[in-house]
Structure formats: structure tokens, C-alpha cells
């Protein structure tokens, strides 16, 4: 299969299609609909990913159909765990890596991460932070296979695992 991977255009129709894809995937994976507490960045894709210079949102297309997404932006989460460890100046963070179930196992997630890592290097970031959840069976093995290291595993309701990758090693 051949896929086109590119950055999302600042066009309302494309942004709407991305939101529709993401909310559909979130319903499938997590069983919840749009929730402002968790999905504020989706509602504000333009302001979080498209307009800021060192942020971006990537999509994978099969023809005209969005089949995967991934976003990268300056670190902006204020976790007490990481006070003074990460900053928006040296750390990017990965968000919204989603691949339609029918399109998994074709290397799309890996290609999207490669694109985001290149973007982050070119934007001057030293490292990339992400968090995932242990109940997502494939998540930890996938991220570890790409060189991301676990920094903290929380015992919270979401089984959150925080990870980092240093880009210049």
C-alpha cells in the first residue's frame, strides 16, 4: 500500500476532516465522545498545531481518506513531576498518534514518528516527550522499539507511562 504523509493544511475542510477522524478513533479506542477536558487541542487544532511555527500536525492518506494522524508541539503540559526537566524551548511533545485499525501493521505509525522526529530536530528541539497508557497493549513495545525510554510509570486511573527520547544521541 502506498500512502501520502504530509502536514495538515490550514483549510477548514481539512481541519474538520481531521477532527472527525480523531473523534471517531477516540470513540473506538476509549469509548468516549468529545470531552473538552481531554480534547481541547483537537477542538483548537489550528491554534495548537498549525499556526505556531514549531508545531505541526501530520496526516496519512489513502487516496482522499485520512487513515492516521500524529501531532507534535512544544512541551506545554505543566506536570509537577517534570518541573524544570522539560521546557517549550528544548522539548517537543507527541500527541494524537492514531491509526485506523484497518491500516495498522503497514508502518504508518513509524513513518509518522520519523516525520515528527525530523520536524523536531529541524525546529531545534533536543528531546521529545510523550505519555501513553499501559492498557494500550501495543503502545509500550512500539515506543520502546523507536528508542523512547520510560521515565515514570504512574499508578493512576489511566495507567500513564511517561517517556522521552533524546534526539542527538
Amino acid at each position: 500500500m502506498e500512502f501520502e504523509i504530509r502536514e495538515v493544511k490550514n483549510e477548514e475542510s481539512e481541519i474538520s476532516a481531521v477532527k472527525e477522524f480523531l473523534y471517531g478513533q477516540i470513540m473506538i479506542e476509549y469509548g468516549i465522545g468529545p470531552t473538552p477536558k481531554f480534547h481541547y487541542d483537537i477542538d483548537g487544532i489550528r491554534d495548537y498545531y498549525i499556526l505556531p511555527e514549531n508545531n505541526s500536525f501530520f496526516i496519512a492518506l489513502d487516496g482522499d481518506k485520512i487513515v492516521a494522524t500524529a501531532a507534535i508541539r512544544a512541551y506545554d503540559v505543566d506536570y509537577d513531576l517534570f518541573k524544570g526537566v522539560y521546557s517549550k524551548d528544548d522539548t517537543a511533545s507527541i500527541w494524537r498518534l492514531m491509526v485506523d485499525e484497518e491500516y495498522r501493521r503497514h508502518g504508518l505509525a513509524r513513518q509518522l514518528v520519523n516525520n515528527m522526529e525530523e520536524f523536531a530536530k529541524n525546529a531545534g528541539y533536543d528531546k521529545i516527550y510523550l505519555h501513553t497508557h499501559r492498557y494500550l497493549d501495543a503502545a509500550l513495545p512500539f515506543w520502546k522499539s523507536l528508542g523512547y525510554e520510560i521515565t515514570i510509570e504512574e499508578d493512576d486511573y489511566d495507567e500513564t507511562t511517561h517517556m522521552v527520547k533524546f534526539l542527538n544521541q
Side-chain angles (χ1 to χ4, degrees):
M1 286 187 173
E2 297 249 347
F3 303 100
E4 176 188 1
I5 295 178
R6 64 171 172 76
E7 292 181 70
V8 171
K9 297 173 186 166
N10 188 10
E11 297 174 357
E12 193 55 45
S13 61
E14 186 160 282
I15 291 169
S16 292
V18 170
K19 288 179 184 181
E20 183 178 327
F21 173 82
L22 285 169
Y23 283 131
Q25 292 300 304
I26 288 167
M27 179 56 78
I28 291 166
E29 291 298 322
Y30 302 103
I32 61 173
T35 309
K37 177 180 176 182
F38 303 120
H39 307 132
Y40 56 90
D41 64 307
I42 296 172
D43 293 333
I45 284 177
R46 184 176 277 116
D47 293 330
Y48 276 94
Y49 302 109
I50 297 170
L51 296 179
E53 185 177 336
N54 290 332
N55 298 359
S56 191
F57 202 106
F58 293 89
I59 53 175
L61 298 156
D62 181 6
D64 292 339
K65 180 182 177 184
I66 297 172
V67 297
T69 62
I72 189 158
R73 72 183 198 220
Y75 180 85
D76 65 351
V77 179
D78 204 16
Y79 289 115
D80 287 337
L81 295 167
F82 301 116
K83 289 269 189 230
V85 176
Y86 304 130
S87 79
K88 65 181 174 75
D89 298 321
D90 65 7
T91 309
S93 56
I94 290 178
W95 292 74
R96 306 300 175 199
L97 179 60
M98 299 281 212
V99 180
D100 184 299
E101 192 170 27
E102 292 179 40
Y103 290 85
R104 293 179 186 164
R105 299 298 205 210
H106 293 286
L108 280 173
R110 193 171 296 273
Q111 289 176 29
L112 285 163
V113 172
N114 287 341
N115 283 36
M116 288 188 297
E117 288 178 357
E118 278 304 307
F119 181 89
K121 286 177 191 175
N122 292 335
Y125 294 113
D126 299 328
K127 55 192 163 285
I128 299 177
Y129 161 88
L130 65 91
H131 69 265
T132 188
H133 308 287
R134 292 186 295 283
Y135 59 78
L136 299 172
D137 295 333
L140 287 177
F142 170 75
W143 290 112
K144 286 180 176 180
S145 78
L146 294 174
Y148 288 79
E149 299 172 8
I150 294 172
T151 58
I152 295 175
E153 289 186 299
E154 292 189 73
D155 289 326
D156 61 352
Y157 72 96
D158 254 351
E159 300 179 17
T160 305
T161 298
H162 302 271
M163 304 182 85
V164 69
K165 181 175 183 177
F166 294 91
L167 296 173
N168 297 316
Q169 291 186 350

